Amino acid sequence: MSRLWREGLPIRMMARGDLPAHFFWNNQAHHVLYISNRWRVQTGWWRFAIQRTYFKLVTQSDLVVVVYRDETVSRWFLAQVFD
Amino acid sequence: MAYIELHCHSHYSLLDGASSPTELVQRAAELGMPALALTDHDAVYGAPEFARAARDAGIKPIFGAELTLHDTSHLTLLVRDETGWRNLCALITAGRHNAPKGQARLPDDALLETHAAGLIALSGCRQGRIARSLLAGNRAAAEAHARWFRRLFGHDGFRIELHNHLLPDDRWLRHELIALASDLSIGCVATNNVHYAFRDQQRLQDVLSCIRQKLPLDEAHLRSNDEYALRSEADMIALFADCPEAVANTQRIAALCDFTLGERLQPLPLIETPPQMNADDYLRHLCSSGQLTPSEQHQLDHELDVIQQAGLSNYFLVVWDIVRFARERGILCQGRGSAANSFVAYRLQISPIHPLEHGLLFERFLSSERQAVPDIDIDFDAERREEVIQYVYGKYGHACAAMACTFSTFQAKAALRDAAKAFGLPLEIINHASASLDTYRARDVEHSVALRETLGDRLDDPVWTQVLELAAQLDGAPRHLGIHNGGMVIHAAPLSERVPTEPATMTDRYVTQWDKDGLEDLGMIKIDILGLRMLSVLADCEAIIREQAPDFSLSHLSFDDPAVYAMIRAADTVGVFQVESHAQMQVLPHLKPEIFNDLIVSISLIRPGPVQGDMVHPYLRRRDGTEPVTYLHSLLEPALRETLGVVLFQEQVLKVARDAAGFTPGQGELLRRALGSKNPEAAIARFLTPFIEGAAANGIDEATAQLIFDKLAAFGGYSFPKSHAAAFACIVYRSAWLKLNYPAAFAAALLNNQPMGFWSPSVIVNDAKRHGITVQGVDLNASAARCTADDAARSVRLGLNSVSGMGSTAALIVQKRSERPFRDLHDFYVRLPLSRRLIETVIASGAMDDWGISRRDLLWKLGEVAASAGDALPLRVESGPVVLPALTTDEALRMEVSAVGLSVEAHPLTRQRWRLKDRGYLSSVDLHHTPDAAVIRVVGLLVMHQAPPTAKGFHFLTLEDELGMMSVIVRPKIYARYRRVIRHAPLLVVRGKVQHEGNVVNLLADSFAGWKRKEEVRK
């Protein structure tokens, strides 16, 4: 069963350059095996700017997740976990 | 390897592109692209600007468009060669003619099949057939489409287009497209479907999308990020790491595109000539009838030689044919502009000016050295211009004749309104803000003082800050397409072989996709068929005069009646063509015109250019004799004697260059054009050395030659074509003659041809009254549809057309009335199907006053009449008598003004004059007898308010009282202090200092107040 966080769940992410490398969630460290997709959203500038870079990741622990980096606050968030 | 962008939209994708072609080219050059494609939606509007910008930037332009096919899918097309260009134009034309104005859609695929040669097709964006099919899960359809396109355009002419805008499904779609391409052995190419030059233009692009969709930002469908900018090669390589050859292929495709949008004259339809004569022979024949003096013959031979060498004989015949058609039908017309320099134009009766008699230069119009096509502009009676346009369409067909387009660009009000709507601001606030704007250019909106006063601190709100910033960025962007005011392009073959055409809003009107500048840049000749309302006025006056004198014609007038010049010298010129403006009225008493040539000088002198270039006062001082007439060198005297040593006419630039430095007239014209260019310093630099050297050969030392060149540089840019001024001076004289000799007919004709001229109908009526003309108001049973005049009785009767909202109903009323006059309101109501609102306006105008019932009573009665007329039974129901208060004179006056825009009754100040005099206010007549520097007060209606950009913040007002007009000068600080009063008070009180300058008197204002009846508000 997948889980979705509409507002995003803040997470700690170790990045390699701009790319996610490993992150911490549910008291576990998850290493990124590969990035299967990447996309950007930049909109809402007239009210509350949304500037996010999304990544769909597969981890070494066999999780498929979507994370994003919020460029306005330079923080990482977990958006969705697929089972 | 270099990446080249092959799918790029400019702001000529109307409301779907944020950058001009020039901005895109410059950005591409910065990014190191050796070439760039321009592919606007179903259009090549931007091609001329694109070609020019690419040439200047040293990159290769690739022409194309993104076409909308019959199933609304998109296809990117690039031009390989001349055949491809013709096919692209034909496809765009077909798509545009097949859809409502502003849209395009090819009628079917068959057209694509027959017009694929010379084009390279890219499969397009997500709206392309292949991507659309894949996104819908239909791979089979995608494959079928891809096979079809490949068959159509050839293996070499079709590519699968790949994008990477970092959308969630971009990677998936790209892989599907790559797989399809691989299966079918079709090449791939990467593009970025560019919609702006820089990332930070995403906001502007979003606002344009909102304007296009008519939705605010919160609701509009917008692209989800800013990835649609021009990208560098490094960026594209990173984005297409999964398909690097797609990036490299851009260069291979660019190399296949080898089309230059060259400058060349279009083939014109051949005018039928007599047997054994070609166009050259026929032109000579038409010009040679009658006796010519030796100098005329010499000039004619020279001009015909140049015309023939330029291959323009047929062009002159085409224009001659149009003018011949007009004259045969009694449509007043005359050429204007540089064509009046041509003796051939004069002999063909295109131009009214004999160029040799006025020292004009043919080379100003056409020369073997000048690399530009001549334009012939002709003014026609505005009321009958449509007959001429339809003649051209009828003779050449809609496929071969079209008007030039024009682009309506965002100005301040539209930019502010559209930007504010995009942000979802309330309409009342938007209306309030835009109504208060006192700037014209969108880029000045952010600095509008009036807006700041209206909205106050609200402007510091983040929303308003963004609104103003984006409104300013809309400056200069095209908003929609319109029709140029008269420029017609005629082509021997269908125009769509050279440039696409599309329908305009007017029925049966088609426009080219290039505006007049684009057409000129690319060497296409057009004929300007212009409507001039003053010619309509002259035609109307001729018709009135011919009722008594059937042989009368304005063309019989010689330009030498001293009484006409006396009237002009006195600045009694309300309504007179070109010399009625405030500025003209200020200068005419100084200039003191006495002969025709003085009118030419007046037209050329009183313009922003000469004012800015400080030419006006030196000329006037020399004319007055207060400054000596000098020449920098005696060789300049022949050229400048007529303007007292001042360079005023463009022709004089050529003559000075010829006489001082031995330039040929053609070289002089090139110098003249350089002086008038956007960047004159750079443009004229190459002429300096030849000028100095040529002057030296004529015995002029270097220092003097430099001075002469500097003078030309200073004034040449502001000079005016004497030929144009001379052609206009004919109309100036004729209109002045009519005002002097047939003032009633002239006033009626001016009123019948509004809007026109400098002054409002109210000022025209008051001026006529001051000249002893009785102006009678609208009368339901006496007025014609239009204003009428009786010069013998010195009276004018306002027409029914003077009533606001009347339009063509005036003719209907007259027609009904011819059966029998209207007896009363009920009779009028039941005999005509008019709206209640219009009948109320007719009542308010005073048109029914003759029945002896007050307007208020009539308005009341209208309710009863409307109620009883709506009854099924033919009953007239009359209610009991209702006593309504009588209308005061002021109320009646206000009613009339609201219905007609003016009042034929006494001026509002007539009845106030005794009170004004009591309190020490002077009248317009008193001003002339008041000593210089006296401080006085006046009251008047504000009838004109000017703030020319060249005036450094000064404002010029014209106030009108019952006796005449007063000129008021307002310094910037005074205007800032009293702006609200000046803009809103109907009657203004002005306190200021009298300034006499020769015969001209002005009031230099110190303070303003609004005049209220019975009491005055003191400031």
Side-chain angles (χ1 to χ4, degrees):
Chain A
M1 189 121 117
S2 57
R3 286 183 68 178
L4 177 72
W5 290 269
R6 284 201 188 283
E7 302 301 321
L9 180 71
I11 53 173
R12 195 152 54 95
M13 174 71 77
M14 310 301 277
R16 204 169 287 127
D18 285 338
L19 301 180
H22 63 262
F23 62 94
F24 297 87
W25 173 60
N26 249 2
N27 294 321
Q28 263 189 285
H30 301 270
H31 294 272
V32 176
L33 192 58
Y34 65 88
I35 299 168
S36 66
N37 200 5
R38 178 169 76 112
W39 64 96
R40 278 190 68 233
V41 175
Q42 172 142 342
T43 187
W45 49 266
W46 58 94
R47 280 193 193 287
F48 304 108
I50 300 171
Q51 289 177 30
R52 298 177 186 172
T53 307
Y54 285 81
F55 297 87
K56 191 170 185 183
L57 313 171
V58 177
T59 69
Q60 283 183 343
S61 44
D62 287 339
L63 277 182
V64 177
V65 302
V66 174
V67 300
Y68 66 86
R69 181 177 157 82
D70 187 329
E71 312 293 349
T72 62
V73 294
S74 300
R75 291 200 59 184
W76 289 88
F77 294 82
L78 183 60
Q80 193 169 11
V81 172
F82 297 90
D83 264 343
Chain B
M1 173 179 69
Y3 172 71
I4 293 168
E5 183 55 61
L6 297 176
H7 184 156
C8 183
H9 293 270
S10 72
H11 60 199
Y12 287 110
S13 279
L14 300 183
L15 304 179
D16 194 24
S19 305
S20 68
T22 304
E23 279 180 291
L24 290 163
V25 165
Q26 286 170 352
R27 180 60 180 152
E30 272 169 31
L31 291 170
M33 289 187 203
L36 176 68
L38 186 65
T39 56
D40 285 313
H41 289 301
D42 305 288
V44 292
Y45 304 132
E49 180 187 335
F50 180 55
R52 196 171 54 244
R55 190 180 58 232
D56 292 346
I59 74 173
K60 172 175 160 180
I62 298 170
F63 300 94
E66 185 173 20
L67 218 63
T68 307
L69 306 185
H70 75 89
D71 59 355
T72 73
S73 65
H74 292 179
L75 186 68
T76 313
L77 291 177
L78 304 173
V79 172
R80 292 174 81 139
D81 52 32
E82 177 75 41
T83 305
W85 174 258
R86 276 208 300 276
N87 281 336
L88 182 70
C89 290
L91 288 167
I92 292 173
T93 301
R96 289 281 177 177
H97 285 243
N98 187 49
K101 177 184 184 296
Q103 296 172 43
R105 196 160 152 175
L106 270 191
D108 50 51
D109 279 346
L111 213 55
L112 206 50
E113 300 225 15
T114 51
H115 288 79
L119 292 169
I120 293 176
L122 310 181
S123 61
C125 56
R126 282 166 175 258
Q127 294 302 319
R129 276 182 188 167
I130 295 167
R132 233 163 49 170
S133 299
L134 288 171
L135 286 164
N138 194 342
R139 199 190 191 268
E143 201 176 301
H145 291 315
R147 288 186 196 281
W148 186 74
F149 282 128
R150 186 182 59 187
R151 180 179 63 75
L152 213 59
F153 293 97
H155 192 266
D156 202 25
F158 177 65
R159 301 287 190 284
I160 298 289
E161 195 174 335
L162 304 178
H163 294 157
N164 189 0
H165 297 110
L166 297 178
L167 302 180
D169 57 355
D170 260 355
R171 179 178 283 201
W172 170 85
L173 180 61
R174 196 164 60 253
H175 287 174
E176 289 293 309
L177 287 166
I178 291 169
L180 181 74
S182 170
D183 291 348
L184 299 180
S185 304
I186 296 173
C188 291
V189 67
T191 81
N192 206 38
N193 191 9
V194 167
H195 283 262
Y196 32 88
F198 297 93
R199 274 190 191 276
D200 63 9
Q201 288 177 303
Q202 178 206 13
R203 293 189 307 147
L204 182 60
Q205 173 68 15
D206 283 351
V207 167
L208 288 166
S209 296
C210 290
I211 297 169
R212 188 178 76 252
Q213 296 173 49
K214 298 183 173 55
L215 289 170
L217 286 158
D218 284 338
E219 295 171 34
H221 175 69
L222 304 173
R223 293 188 173 87
S224 56
N225 62 31
D226 60 352
E227 293 290 328
Y228 297 81
L230 276 170
R231 306 301 295 267
S232 68
E233 180 185 285
D235 285 347
M236 292 302 278
I237 289 172
L239 287 167
F240 290 86
D242 50 5
C243 187
E245 70 275 17
V247 176
N249 278 343
T250 61
Q251 214 172 7
R252 292 187 191 103
I253 291 168
L256 294 174
C257 297
D258 202 19
F259 171 71
T260 308
L261 199 59
E263 183 185 321
R264 65 182 191 285
L265 190 57
Q266 75 271 32
L268 289 169
L270 290 178
I271 290 289
E272 202 182 318
T273 57
Q276 314 296 327
M277 280 194 195
N278 60 19
D280 295 340
D281 300 330
Y282 193 35
L283 185 64
R284 178 174 289 278
H285 169 76
L286 288 171
C287 294
S288 301
S289 60
Q291 285 279 76
L292 294 175
T293 65
S295 56
E296 286 175 339
Q297 187 65 56
H298 177 78
Q299 183 67 21
L300 182 65
D301 290 338
H302 165 64
E303 290 192 17
L304 286 172
D305 211 33
V306 175
I307 289 168
Q308 283 167 25
Q309 278 183 31
L312 290 173
S313 294
N314 193 58
Y315 171 64
F316 276 79
L317 291 177
V318 168
V319 179
W320 162 80
D321 175 64
I322 293 171
V323 170
R324 179 198 55 76
F325 165 83
R327 290 195 191 284
E328 280 173 5
R329 275 151 189 74
I331 302 173
L332 285 192
C333 61
Q334 64 171 57
R336 62 149 79 182
S338 59
N341 282 293
S342 164
F343 187 58
V344 165
Y346 175 72
R347 293 294 292 174
L348 294 176
Q349 292 195 295
I350 294 169
S351 158
I353 292 294
H354 190 309
L356 298 179
E357 287 176 9
H358 292 278
L360 300 177
L361 279 183
F362 178 65
E363 283 72 15
R364 173 64 192 82
F365 170 62
L366 180 65
S367 73
S368 41
E369 286 120 321
R370 186 178 167 191
Q371 300 293 317
V373 294
D375 256 355
I376 295 188
D377 303 345
I378 310 172
D379 287 311
F380 292 87
D381 172 348
E383 285 288 299
R384 302 189 64 187
R385 185 181 77 122
E386 187 61 25
E387 292 173 51
V388 180
I389 290 175
Q390 289 307 321
Y391 169 71
V392 174
Y393 277 131
K395 186 174 175 100
Y396 301 108
H398 282 289
C400 298
M403 310 289 285
C405 78
T406 188
F407 295 103
S408 291
T409 57
F410 284 95
Q411 304 301 334
K413 276 197 165 58
L416 181 67
R417 293 184 67 85
D418 281 338
K421 278 184 194 165
F423 278 81
L425 291 174
L427 195 57
E428 311 82 61
I429 296 183
I430 297 175
N431 289 341
H432 191 44
S434 65
S436 73
L437 269 179
D438 57 358
T439 52
Y440 184 65
R441 297 287 308 257
R443 67 181 177 205
D444 295 329
V445 153
E446 288 179 288
H447 312 295
S448 166
V449 174
L451 190 63
R452 166 79 41 194
E453 269 191 15
T454 304
L455 295 182
D457 291 339
R458 217 183 319 205
L459 280 191
D460 299 325
D461 175 295
V463 170
W464 271 104
T465 307
Q466 292 192 94
V467 166
L468 295 186
E469 187 192 330
L470 286 157
Q473 288 178 21
L474 287 169
D475 185 73
R479 198 179 188 290
H480 56 260
L481 196 75
I483 306 179
H484 182 264
N485 184 34
M488 280 197 92
V489 185
I490 303 173
H491 205 256
L495 256 171
S496 60
E497 290 186 8
R498 181 77 188 270
V499 55
T501 64
E502 60 179 87
T505 316
M506 275 181 82
T507 325
D508 277 343
R509 273 281 214 279
Y510 299 91
V511 293
T512 60
Q513 285 201 337
W514 294 338
D515 64 7
K516 69 172 184 65
D517 291 331
L519 290 166
E520 187 181 328
D521 278 354
L522 294 167
M524 287 185 77
I525 216 163
K526 64 174 174 39
I527 301 162
D528 273 358
I529 298 176
L530 304 167
L532 190 62
R533 288 188 197 263
M534 183 51 76
L535 286 180
S536 308
V537 169
L538 300 192
D540 282 358
C541 287
E542 266 191 343
I544 293 173
I545 296 167
R546 279 180 189 152
E547 285 169 17
Q548 306 300 324
D551 293 332
F552 175 80
S553 169
L554 284 169
S555 61
H556 296 158
L557 293 180
S558 53
F559 300 114
D560 56 10
D561 184 341
V564 171
Y565 293 103
M567 185 185 85
I568 294 174
R569 279 197 298 277
D572 181 12
T573 52
V574 168
V576 178
F577 189 60
Q578 292 286 300
V579 295
E580 61 171 342
S581 70
H582 174 274
Q584 285 281 351
M585 285 184 173
Q586 291 280 297
V587 172
L588 286 169
H590 294 296
L591 191 63
K592 303 192 192 94
E594 291 184 4
I595 55 174
F596 186 74
N597 208 59
D598 294 339
L599 298 181
I600 299 176
V601 168
S602 182
I603 292 168
S604 307
L605 193 64
I606 315 309
R607 296 175 308 109
V611 168
Q612 195 173 340
D614 196 27
M615 289 151 67
V616 179
H617 291 294
Y619 178 82
L620 290 176
R621 284 196 297 269
R622 291 179 179 211
R623 194 151 164 124
D624 265 342
T626 53
E627 181 179 300
V629 176
T630 56
Y631 304 93
L632 285 173
H633 192 279
S634 58
L635 282 177
L636 267 47
E637 191 179 339
L640 301 182
R641 187 185 308 122
E642 64 171 329
T643 50
L644 311 177
V646 173
V647 174
L648 190 59
F649 302 126
Q650 291 178 349
E651 291 81 355
Q652 289 174 315
V653 173
L654 277 70
K655 287 181 183 176
V656 166
R658 177 194 65 196
D659 296 345
F663 276 27
T664 64
Q667 289 170 320
E669 171 59 12
L670 290 174
L671 170 61
R672 201 274 315 159
R673 276 179 59 100
L675 287 168
S677 65
K678 281 188 184 141
N679 194 4
E681 292 86 10
I684 63 173
R686 66 186 176 99
F687 293 99
L688 179 58
T689 306
F691 189 91
I692 303 273
E693 286 171 0
N698 284 328
I700 301 177
D701 65 81
E702 190 175 332
T704 306
Q706 181 73 56
L707 266 177
I708 297 172
F709 192 84
D710 290 344
K711 267 278 188 262
L712 284 182
F715 296 137
Y718 303 125
S719 56
F720 200 66
K722 186 180 182 186
S723 53
H724 181 79
F728 267 13
C730 296
I731 305 176
V732 172
Y733 183 88
R734 287 169 182 157
S735 61
W737 186 91
L738 285 168
K739 181 181 167 93
L740 182 66
N741 293 285
Y742 291 91
F746 187 62
L750 284 173
L751 292 172
N752 281 332
N753 287 285
Q754 293 293 313
M756 64 171 289
F758 190 80
W759 302 103
S760 67
S762 174
V763 170
I764 292 167
V765 161
N766 288 331
D767 180 69
K769 279 154 62 174
R770 287 193 294 273
H771 283 79
I773 304 295
T774 306
V775 181
Q776 297 169 297
V778 186
D779 185 309
L780 195 60
N781 280 318
S783 286
R786 309 176 87 213
C787 301
T788 49
D790 182 341
D791 269 287
R794 293 182 77 77
S795 76
V796 167
R797 162 80 70 185
L798 293 189
L800 293 166
N801 65 347
S802 308
V803 176
S804 170
M806 181 63 77
S808 55
T809 312
L812 181 61
I813 293 176
V814 168
Q815 188 243 317
K816 275 287 173 198
R817 191 179 69 200
S818 67
E819 295 163 16
R820 59 178 166 76
F822 298 107
R823 275 197 308 259
D824 54 30
L825 182 60
H826 184 269
D827 183 37
F828 181 70
Y829 186 92
V830 300
R831 286 168 66 191
L832 282 157
L834 304 190
S835 71
R836 180 148 172 188
R837 191 184 177 93
L838 182 56
I839 299 178
E840 285 172 358
T841 312
V842 172
I843 292 171
S845 74
M848 299 180 184
D849 285 357
D850 233 30
W851 290 331
I853 304 173
S854 94
R855 297 174 204 175
R856 187 169 275 150
D857 284 334
L858 282 170
L859 287 168
W860 176 268
K861 226 176 152 39
L862 178 60
E864 293 174 358
V865 165
S868 69
D871 243 320
L873 300 171
L875 291 173
R876 262 179 90 155
V877 178
E878 308 223 5
S879 66
V882 173
V883 178
L884 296 170
L887 270 184
T888 65
T889 331
D890 274 353
E891 283 170 332
L893 190 147
R894 277 201 292 275
M895 265 193 175
E896 191 185 356
V897 171
S898 76
V900 184
L902 56 94
S903 172
V904 300
E905 300 304 327
H907 192 280
L909 288 177
T910 309
R911 283 185 306 283
Q912 306 286 332
R913 183 51 61 189
W914 64 269
R915 185 177 291 118
L916 292 168
K917 208 166 166 167
D918 237 15
R919 295 182 188 187
Y921 290 91
L922 300 192
S923 73
S924 54
V925 169
D926 296 333
L927 269 188
H928 288 272
H929 314 298
T930 307
D932 194 54
V935 176
I936 58 148
R937 287 177 308 164
V938 296
V939 181
L941 268 173
L942 179 63
V943 293
M944 184 54 64
H945 179 173
Q946 284 186 300
T950 49
K952 298 172 187 153
F954 276 72
H955 288 244
F956 302 95
L957 314 181
T958 305
L959 302 193
E960 183 195 60
D961 64 15
E962 76 279 20
L963 298 171
M965 301 210 275
M966 299 173 277
S967 168
V968 178
I969 300 173
V970 190
R971 286 160 294 188
K973 279 196 176 122
I974 302 291
Y975 181 75
R977 196 179 305 154
Y978 295 102
R979 182 154 41 83
R980 238 185 231 285
V981 167
I982 293 170
R983 279 165 68 103
H984 298 293
L987 279 171
L988 272 176
V989 175
V990 186
R991 179 180 177 278
K993 196 182 290 185
V994 172
Q995 280 187 339
H996 284 275
E997 270 186 63
N999 294 331
V1000 175
V1001 60
N1002 292 307
L1003 191 60
L1004 183 64
D1006 288 330
S1007 67
F1008 289 85
W1011 170 262
K1012 291 214 165 137
R1013 277 178 294 110
K1014 301 221 175 93
E1015 65 181 302
E1016 136 196 29
V1017 173
R1018 290 187 188 280
K1019 264 292 221 198

